[in-house]
């Protein structure tokens, strides 16, 4: 047998590689199959391969645009739109796709302006999304209804269903859900929305069935596993929740919802080293006022890196002095670093009024005892008193009413709690409950009185601004209040949303 020459070997390798390589058409076919299964990440990957050799293919670019849209990738969608325009496509659908790209990049005002007077379901859906972002519930509702009047479609009804769920209109949400269920009964979004709606009705058993069906049909998607893990966590089944979270992490390790669930579960399990391992790569960018930042700081405390924890909690409390959790964590850290006097002084503002809870008082007693302060005995006696038991009962019932979105009931309970005195947190909650219950005079007076005693309290500024916006009064004052609140906490999304409303009201 003749030996092959050295020159022949590379040639044969090239021929074999060519024979085994996948053509653009085959990549496109795989992308279409993945898209049909709602596996958009695979669709995007296959389209990327297909377009390398056929970059001007109209059909491929259209599918890329639709894929980027459903991935929520605004930059990618804009790029796909520009590539379609570059090859001469003039389809009217490019207009709403470009508007979608702007909306996904947080430029909703520009998206709405680009749409002009377009009267299509997708145009109205984008307008509704921008109204939701601005916390303009009435404007969003009107936009959704206009979209339905223009003919409606699956995505409009899907977003409308979720809006109504968030608004607490479960009857309306059920009506819209019937529309999407008939249109696409087995779509991932339909199944996930069915689970959300079932949860709101208190039917966790039905919610589990929806999410399990979604997980079975879409094993490459993390969302159903996150939902199942969250439900198990709420039910106190932490090991089961952990199993779902770990499974989701294998599918989408960088997904924010997956990471949030992992952090919650690791915190509940006391797996502090796992939290630091998960977040240490982002340590330099972590904001200590965010949920992730606070969990990281707590993990540092638990594993003995107390000085780093102290620095993070100190920074967080400076930014959010009304945050009771941050105040408690800094107190714990100061006790751990042997600064008992500072620890007790840190806790004092949180226990001054009737809204103080048992955990705050117990921690304050611990700090006072460590500092040999006689206040420890008084705090311990307070915890054992009938008066505190009544305060604890009223506070718990009021917060339960808030959770149920029953502001009138919450307000009456907070007014009863005020018999025992007042503090900024009680005043804030009373003002917000009064606003939502339609008692605008009481809301404004309560917030203003508390703010006069605590003029640098950003949460009270927010409450005073909120009361005015809700009442439709003194818009200029509301705008000034919320702008000042933002000077203390510039990233607070509630503040930013209220600022937009106040500015709009002030003209």
């Amino acid at each position: 047998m003749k030996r092959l020459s050295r020159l022949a070997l590379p040639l044969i390798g090239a021929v074999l590689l060519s024979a085994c390589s996948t053509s653009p058409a085959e990549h496109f076919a795989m992308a279409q199959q993945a898209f049909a299964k709602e596996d958009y990440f695979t669709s995007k990957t296959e389209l990327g391969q297909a377009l390398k050799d056929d970059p001007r293919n109209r059909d491929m670019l259209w599918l890329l645009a639709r894929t980027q849209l459903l991935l929520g990738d605004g930059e990618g969608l804009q790029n796909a739109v520009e590539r379609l325009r570059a090859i001469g496509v003039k389809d009217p659908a490019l207009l709403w796709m470009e508007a979608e790209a702007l909306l996904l990049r947080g430029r909703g005002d520009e998206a709405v302006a680009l749409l002009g007077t377009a009267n299509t379901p997708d145009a109205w859906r984008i307008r509704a999304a921008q109204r939701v972002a601005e916390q303009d519930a009435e404007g969003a509702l009107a936009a959704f209804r206009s979209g339905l009047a223009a003919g409606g479609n699956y995505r409009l009804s899907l977003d409308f269903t979720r809006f109504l769920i968030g608004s607490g209109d479960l009857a309306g949400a059920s009506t819209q859900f019937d529309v999407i269920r008939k249109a696409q009964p087995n779509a991932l979004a339909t199944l996930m929305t069915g689970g959300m709606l079932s949860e709101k009705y208190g039917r966790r058993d039905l919610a589990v069935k929806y999410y399990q069906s979604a997980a079975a049909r879409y094993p490459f998607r993390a969302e159903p596993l996150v939902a199942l893990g969250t439900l198990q966590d709420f039910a106190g089944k932490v090991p089961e929740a952990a199993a779902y979270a770990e499974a989701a992490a294998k599918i989408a390790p960088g997904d924010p919802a997956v990471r949030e669930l992992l952090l919650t579960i690791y915190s509940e399990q006391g797996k502090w080293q796992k939290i630091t391992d998960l977040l240490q790569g982002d340590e330099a960018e972590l904001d200590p006022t965010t949920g992730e930042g606070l969990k990281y700081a707590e993990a540092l405390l638990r594993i003995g890196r107390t000085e780093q924890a102290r620095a993070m909690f100190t920074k967080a409390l400076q930014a959010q002095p009304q945050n009771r959790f941050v105040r408690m964590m800094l107190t714990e850290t100061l006790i751990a670093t042997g600064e008992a006097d500072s620890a007790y002084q840190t806790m004092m503002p949180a226990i001054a009024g009737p809204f103080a809870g048992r955990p705050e008082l117990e921690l304050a007693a611990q700090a006072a005892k460590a500092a040999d302060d006689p206040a420890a005995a008084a705090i311990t006696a307070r915890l054992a008193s009938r008066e505190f038991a009544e305060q604890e009962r009223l506070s718990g019932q009021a917060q339960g009413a808030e959770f149920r979105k029953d502001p009138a009931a919450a307000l009456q309970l907070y007014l009863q709690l005020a018999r025992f005195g007042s503090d900024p947190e009680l005043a804030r909650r009373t003002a917000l409950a009064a606003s939502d219950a339609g008692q605008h005079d009481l809301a404004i007076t309560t917030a203003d009185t508390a703010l006069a005693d605590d003029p640098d309290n950003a949460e009270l500024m927010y409450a005073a601004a909120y009361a005015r916006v809700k009442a439709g009064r003194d818009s200029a004052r509301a705008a000034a209040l919320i702008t000042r609140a933002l000077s203390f906490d510039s990233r607070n999304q509630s503040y930013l949303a209220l600022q937009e409303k106040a500015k709009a009201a002030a003209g």
Side-chain angles (χ1 to χ4, degrees):
M1 183 177 179
K2 292 183 178 180
R3 288 187 178 181
L4 294 170
S5 71
R6 290 184 179 180
L7 290 174
L9 287 172
L11 181 60
I12 291 171
V15 170
L16 290 172
L17 182 62
S18 175
C20 295
S21 65
T22 306
S23 70
E26 289 170 322
H27 278 299
F28 184 40
M30 287 187 280
Q32 289 173 307
Q33 291 170 5
F35 186 90
K37 293 191 300 182
E38 298 192 47
D39 184 358
Y40 302 124
F41 289 102
T42 299
S43 178
K44 178 182 176 180
T45 300
E46 294 297 335
L47 285 167
Q49 292 298 318
L51 286 162
K52 281 182 181 179
D53 295 319
D54 195 0
R56 295 174 64 82
N57 187 297
R58 178 186 300 242
D59 293 336
M60 292 179 189
L61 288 171
W62 268 118
L63 186 60
L64 179 63
R66 293 170 62 200
T67 299
Q68 299 284 34
L69 171 62
L70 292 169
L71 282 171
D73 182 351
E75 294 290 345
L77 176 56
Q78 181 62 37
N79 179 262
V81 168
E82 290 171 359
R83 292 175 70 177
L84 282 164
R85 286 205 171 109
I87 63 172
V89 175
K90 300 185 183 297
D91 194 299
L94 289 178
L95 178 72
W96 71 260
M97 280 197 166
E98 188 169 3
E100 289 273 15
L102 287 166
L103 184 69
L104 288 169
R105 288 177 289 164
R107 295 160 61 182
D109 288 339
E110 294 176 56
V112 171
L114 180 65
L115 291 168
T117 59
N119 185 33
T120 65
D122 285 309
W124 285 110
R125 177 175 51 77
I126 291 168
R127 293 184 186 110
Q130 176 58 10
R131 296 292 179 270
V132 171
E134 294 173 347
Q135 296 193 356
D136 179 4
E138 291 182 5
L141 183 61
F144 279 123
R145 286 175 174 165
S146 294
L148 293 177
N153 61 25
Y154 174 80
R155 289 193 67 208
L156 177 78
S157 290
L158 174 66
D159 286 359
F160 194 17
T161 303
R162 291 176 171 174
F163 168 78
L164 292 169
I165 291 173
S167 301
D169 182 359
L170 299 187
S174 297
T175 299
Q176 286 302 309
F177 180 66
D178 284 341
V179 174
I180 64 172
R181 184 167 51 185
K182 288 175 183 175
Q184 297 187 35
N186 295 318
L188 177 64
T190 300
L191 295 172
M192 296 300 294
T193 304
M196 291 167 56
L197 185 57
S198 299
E199 285 189 63
K200 290 295 183 180
Y201 273 114
R203 290 290 310 280
R204 289 191 176 180
D205 56 333
L206 184 56
V208 167
K209 289 181 181 179
Y210 272 114
Y211 295 144
Q212 287 178 336
S213 177
R217 287 179 177 274
Y218 303 96
F220 42 81
R221 297 291 290 264
E223 297 95 316
L225 299 175
V226 171
L228 286 165
T230 302
L231 274 179
Q232 296 289 1
D233 187 44
F234 283 157
K237 299 178 180 179
V238 179
E240 292 87 344
Y244 281 121
E246 296 287 357
K250 291 178 182 177
I251 297 170
D255 185 275
V258 173
R259 188 156 89 162
E260 182 180 354
L261 180 59
L262 282 171
L263 290 171
T264 298
I265 290 168
Y266 290 156
S267 177
E268 291 168 349
Q269 293 177 322
K271 294 182 177 179
W272 306 110
Q273 188 61 55
K274 284 202 169 189
I275 291 178
T276 57
D277 291 344
L278 190 61
L279 294 175
Q280 64 185 357
D282 301 321
E283 182 176 9
E285 290 78 33
L286 278 178
D287 181 347
T289 65
T290 64
E292 286 193 350
L294 290 173
K295 281 188 173 67
Y296 187 66
E298 183 175 6
L300 292 175
L301 171 62
R302 304 306 179 202
I303 65 174
R305 291 163 61 181
T306 52
E307 288 302 328
Q308 285 178 274
R310 176 187 173 180
M312 291 189 73
F313 284 129
T314 298
K315 187 176 180 181
L317 190 63
Q318 288 170 347
Q320 299 177 347
Q322 293 80 43
N323 190 318
R324 299 169 91 82
F325 172 77
V326 172
R327 189 171 290 280
M328 290 178 69
M329 292 309 303
L330 179 57
T331 299
E332 266 196 69
T333 306
L334 291 169
I335 292 173
T337 56
E339 300 169 84
D341 286 335
S342 294
Y344 178 58
Q345 292 301 317
T346 298
M347 273 309 295
M348 283 183 65
I351 65 169
F355 200 81
R358 185 170 296 275
E360 289 102 320
L361 288 167
E362 288 176 344
L363 185 58
Q366 181 186 346
K369 186 176 181 180
D372 292 324
D373 193 303
I379 297 170
T380 301
R382 180 178 170 186
L383 278 163
S385 69
R386 290 184 179 179
E387 184 177 90
F388 176 74
E390 177 66 3
Q391 292 171 17
E392 197 173 29
R393 181 187 70 80
L394 291 170
S395 176
Q397 289 181 350
Q399 291 176 75
E402 279 186 11
F403 182 79
R404 296 192 308 272
K405 297 188 183 300
D406 187 351
L411 174 60
Q412 291 308 311
L413 289 160
Y414 284 137
L415 291 175
Q416 291 181 53
L417 187 58
R419 300 197 315 263
F420 300 98
S422 186
D423 59 44
E425 180 64 9
L426 177 57
R428 182 186 74 85
R429 288 176 179 263
T430 301
L432 294 177
S435 282
D436 291 336
Q439 296 197 33
H440 302 302
D441 290 339
L442 175 62
I444 293 171
T445 299
T446 301
D448 285 357
T449 300
L451 187 58
D453 292 334
D454 192 359
D456 292 329
N457 189 318
E459 288 284 87
L460 290 175
M461 294 172 205
Y462 172 82
Y466 182 90
R468 286 169 167 80
V469 170
K470 196 81 173 176
R473 304 178 195 168
D474 200 358
S475 300
R477 174 64 175 157
L481 283 164
I482 198 61
T483 298
R484 185 156 187 265
L486 280 162
S487 71
F488 290 87
D489 190 359
S490 61
R491 297 183 183 180
N492 190 301
Q493 292 302 308
S494 296
Y495 293 6
L496 289 166
L498 186 60
Q499 183 184 48
E500 290 300 316
K501 284 189 174 184
K503 285 181 177 179

